[in-house]
Amino acid sequence: MSMKNYLKIVCLIFIFSSCKNDGNNIKNTKQPIHAKRSSERKEMIIHILPLGTVNATILDFIKKSIYDFYQIECIIEPKKELTTDILAASKTRYEATLILKKYNSTQNTLLITDKDIAYNNSKKKAKEWGIFGLGFRPGNTCIISTFRLKRKVGEAKFKDRLQKVCIHEVGHNLGLPHCKNDPLCLMNDANGTVSQVDKERIFFCTNCKKQIGMK
Ligand SMILES: [Zn+2]
Ligand SMILES: [Zn+2]
């Protein structure tokens, strides 16, 4: 993957820090990012690829969530094992950018793992931050970790968060930037907290919908 593609990586949801100043604020550049519109989405299939063991009911739940929201069909693929080449520097979790680099595909791919994933923003000299997800904008590939979404909450709350994060990351893949239009819209930057995710509704504001030709 080229450096240019790296720059297209947007963060998605940090636990501790905002991704507002991630160097990827492409919103104000002269060439707008092309967002996939409804006619293109109709042709799309997203391959859900578990990294390590992920419960089958969770995989089915993600598939249903994406179909219900975007009407995009998903295919659940056999799992791939997590390998040491994608470990973060701490060796205690996996590095999301390495995962995206390794598994970036011409097929639309949603990677899902139960393991903790991290993002290391060297520009800010920040340390490794645990995150919920990361995806290209626009692009074909995103990674989501259930690790931080299910801590200290019951199944219903966990599934609500998981659904929101999956829709958010796929939204970035489709070309959507973070939303500043409506605090309840799923494309908001989580600004570091799971409480933002909890605040959001399962919906896109009119501005986000318009960009991808959604009714
Ligand atoms: Zn995001
Ligand atoms: Zn929005």
Side-chain angles (χ1 to χ4, degrees), residues 10-13 19 168-169 172 178 187-189:
V10 282
C11 139
L12 300 190
I13 307 179
C19 51
H168 180 105
E169 299 301 340
H172 281 314
H178 281 144
M187 287 314 295
N188 270 271
D189 184 345

